[in-house]
Amino acid sequence: MKAGRKLAVWLFGMLVAGTATAQTQTWSITVKPGNAVESTLATDRVNIMTGTTATINVQCDTGVDCSQIGLQLESGGAVLTTLTPSGSGSSRTFTLGSGSVVSTGTDLVLTSGGTQIATFRIGTVPGSGGTTLQGQTTQGSTSSGASGGTTVLSDLLRTSCPGTFTAGYDAKANRGEIVVTPVGNVLARALDTFDENDTLIVKVVGDVELLPLLKVERTSAFRDVGTVRIVGGDQQLPQIARQAGGCGVQQFTLNDFAPGRATVRISALQGTQEVPLGTFDFNVNPLYSGMFTLGAAWTNLVDPGFKLVSEGGQTVIGVNEEGDRDLLYVLSYTPFVWGKRDLEKRIPWHQRLNPMIGIAVNDVQDNAFVGISADLPAGVILTFGRHFRRITVLPEGTGLAVGDPFTGTADQLPTAKEWENENFFGLTIDLRAMVQLLRVAAGTAGGGS
C-alpha cells in the first residue's frame, strides 16, 4: 500500500513537471493611443527565452488600429523575419521560435503601419557548454578557474545587490561619479555638470565572481539616451570561490571625454578577448575660453557732425547730433581670464568679472570699447569701461566754432577726425541666446505674414 502511494506521488510529480516544461513562455504588449507602449518585456536588458517558443500577446486600446501592429526580428537594423499574427479585433497573438534568436540577443521590433514604435532585446541561454572565460587578475583581486563545472554569465548578471547607492561631484578635483550595474543600469549619478576636463569614476556594483573580470572603457560610439544593450549573456565563467556577501564594488577611472554624448562600455575579459555586457551614456559639457555678446551701449561720447543752418537771417555752423549721450549697438568679446569655463556650472562671483573688448556693429572703423564685463545668469552681461571714438571736429587752427557764420557750402566746412574717449556702460546678451531670439522673432514674423 505504501509502495503504491509512493508510485502515485512520483507519477503525479512527473506529470506536474512535464506540464510545467510544456508550458509556453508568454509576454504581453499593450499599445495605447499615440503609439505609447506598455509591456512585460524589459527594455533595459535582454529578455531571455527559457524554452523553444514564446507567445507574445498584443492588446490594442481603443483608438488603435490593431491590424497595423506587427512584430519583426532585426539584427543591426536589418529585418531577419516578420512574425505572422493570429487573432483579430483588438488582440493579436504572435509566436516566436528560439531558432530565430541568437543567444547574445536579437532585436524584437514592434511596428505600427511599418513604423518602429518599440524595440525589445530577446536572447537565449544555452543549457550547457559554450565558451568559458579565463580567470583574470584585476586591481588586486585574483580569480582562478577550478574544476567542478561552470557558471552561466547571465546568472551572475541577475545577481541582486540591494542597498542605497550615492554618487558625488568634486568641483575642485574636477571629478564626477556614477554607480552602475555590470550591464550599465544607473544606480546613482552626479554628472549633471560634467565637462570635458573632468575625470569619471565608474563604480560597478555586482556579483563578486564577475567584478574581477570586468573592463570599463570610454568608447566613441553614441546611442540613444536610456538604451542599454546586453550581449554575451550565454558566456560561461569558471567556478570561482564566492566572497562573503555575494556582491561587491569595482572602481574604474576614465577621462579625456570629448564634449557631447559620451558612451562607456562594460565588458568581461575572456582571455585576451572581451565580451560586451552593456553600455551607459551621459552628456559632457564643453569648456569655453570666452564668449561673444551683442547688445546696447550708452556712451558719453557723441559724434556731433556739422551742418549749415539759417539763424537770424544768416548761415551759421550747426550740429547734426545734439545731447551728451549716444546709444550704439556693440559686438563684444569677453575672454575667461580665470580659466576655461563650463557654462552649466556655478562659479565664484569674482570669476564672473572679466575684461571685454567691443566694436560698434554699424561703425566699426570709428569706435572701440574696452572695459570690464560681469556676466549674470541667463546669458545677460553688464559692461562698463571706456569708449574710444573718432569724432568730427572743427580744427582749432580754423578759428571756427558752432554758431559762427559761414559763407561757404556744407562740404566746404574745414572738419577733421580726432580720437577721443569717454565712459560707457552696456547691457548685452550671450550671442547664442541672441541668435535664438532672432530666429524666434523671424519665425513669428514669417508666420504672421
Side-chain angles (χ1 to χ4, degrees):
M1 188 65 174
K2 291 182 179 179
R5 288 181 179 177
K6 290 182 179 180
L7 179 61
V9 170
W10 180 81
L11 289 174
F12 178 78
M14 292 297 293
L15 178 62
V16 170
T19 302
T21 302
Q23 287 181 344
T24 302
Q25 188 175 13
T26 301
W27 289 306
S28 64
I29 298 176
T30 301
V31 182
K32 299 177 175 294
N35 290 335
V37 176
E38 293 181 356
S39 178
T40 57
L41 286 161
T43 57
D44 60 349
R45 62 181 183 275
V46 175
N47 298 274
I48 302 299
M49 293 185 64
T50 57
T52 57
T53 61
T55 299
I56 304 167
N57 296 321
V58 177
Q59 182 68 37
C60 301
D61 283 0
T62 303
V64 179
D65 185 358
C66 223
S67 64
Q68 297 295 309
I69 301 300
L71 281 173
Q72 58 193 34
L73 291 177
E74 296 184 5
S75 177
V79 178
L80 302 177
T81 183
T82 300
L83 304 186
T84 302
S86 62
S88 59
S90 61
S91 299
R92 308 194 92 187
T93 301
F94 300 81
T95 301
L96 176 63
S98 61
S100 303
V101 178
V102 297
S103 60
T104 55
T106 304
D107 289 330
L108 178 66
V109 178
L110 178 69
T111 63
S112 176
T115 301
Q116 175 181 326
I117 59 175
T119 300
F120 310 96
R121 193 75 168 171
I122 308 296
T124 61
V125 178
S128 60
T131 305
T132 58
L133 294 178
Q134 303 300 318
Q136 304 291 329
T137 300
T138 305
Q139 297 186 5
S141 299
T142 303
S143 58
S144 58
S147 59
T150 58
T151 301
V152 179
L153 178 57
S154 60
D155 290 339
L156 298 182
L157 295 177
R158 293 192 187 100
T159 299
S160 177
C161 298
T164 301
F165 304 97
T166 60
Y169 181 83
D170 188 336
K172 292 184 178 180
N174 291 321
R175 183 173 61 241
E177 295 179 344
I178 188 169
V179 184
V180 297
T181 67
V183 298
N185 293 332
V186 178
L187 302 176
R189 58 183 291 160
L191 303 178
D192 291 341
T193 57
F194 192 91
D195 55 50
E196 55 183 299
N197 74 337
D198 286 342
T199 296
L200 177 66
I201 303 298
V202 182
K203 297 180 179 179
V204 183
V205 179
D207 196 297
V208 294
E209 292 187 8
L210 180 61
L211 292 180
L213 305 180
L214 292 182
K215 177 181 179 180
V216 177
E217 59 185 331
R218 173 179 52 85
T219 61
S220 58
F222 297 147
R223 65 180 180 86
D224 293 335
V225 178
T227 301
V228 176
R229 300 185 184 278
I230 309 169
V231 296
D234 60 330
Q235 300 295 319
Q236 299 192 4
L237 301 171
Q239 286 283 24
I240 308 170
R242 182 181 295 273
Q243 300 177 21
C247 287
V249 179
Q250 191 82 296
Q251 180 170 304
F252 302 85
T253 301
L254 305 175
N255 48 31
D256 295 329
F257 287 94
R261 185 64 56 189
T263 305
V264 175
R265 181 176 64 189
I266 305 174
S267 305
L269 296 180
Q270 176 189 346
T272 59
Q273 303 298 317
E274 300 174 11
V275 179
L277 301 181
T279 63
F280 65 87
D281 57 17
F282 57 95
N283 187 62
V284 179
N285 297 330
L287 294 176
Y288 293 94
S289 300
M291 64 177 167
F292 288 107
T293 63
L294 180 65
W298 290 265
T299 175
N300 294 330
L301 193 57
V302 179
D303 185 3
F306 299 100
K307 63 181 179 179
L308 297 178
V309 297
S310 179
E311 185 177 292
Q314 61 179 345
T315 300
V316 299
I317 300 174
V319 295
N320 290 321
E321 296 290 340
E322 297 182 353
D324 56 359
R325 283 190 176 276
D326 198 2
L327 174 65
L328 298 174
Y329 290 97
V330 178
L331 176 64
S332 303
Y333 174 68
T334 296
F336 296 145
V337 296
W338 304 97
K340 292 183 178 180
R341 184 193 299 180
D342 177 357
L343 298 184
E344 304 301 324
K345 284 184 179 178
R346 291 185 176 181
I347 59 174
W349 67 268
H350 66 273
Q351 293 186 15
R352 294 188 176 276
L353 301 178
N354 290 279
M356 60 78 60
I357 57 174
I359 57 175
V361 294
N362 59 338
D363 192 359
V364 176
Q365 295 182 343
D366 292 339
N367 293 273
F369 298 83
V370 179
I372 299 295
S373 70
D375 56 283
L376 307 178
V380 177
I381 296 89
L382 298 178
T383 58
F384 173 81
R386 297 294 285 185
H387 174 205
F388 296 83
R389 190 172 196 176
R390 192 166 66 165
I391 65 173
T392 305
V393 298
L394 294 169
E396 293 182 0
T398 64
L400 295 174
V402 175
D404 289 348
F406 190 77
T407 58
T409 60
D411 57 1
Q412 292 176 332
L413 284 170
T415 61
K417 289 284 190 177
E418 293 182 0
W419 284 99
E420 295 187 12
N421 64 89
E422 271 289 356
N423 291 334
F424 84 94
F425 70 93
L427 177 64
T428 60
I429 300 177
D430 180 348
L431 195 58
R432 299 173 306 165
M434 179 63 75
V435 170
Q436 294 298 322
L437 180 62
L438 294 176
R439 286 178 178 172
V440 171
T444 302
S449 60

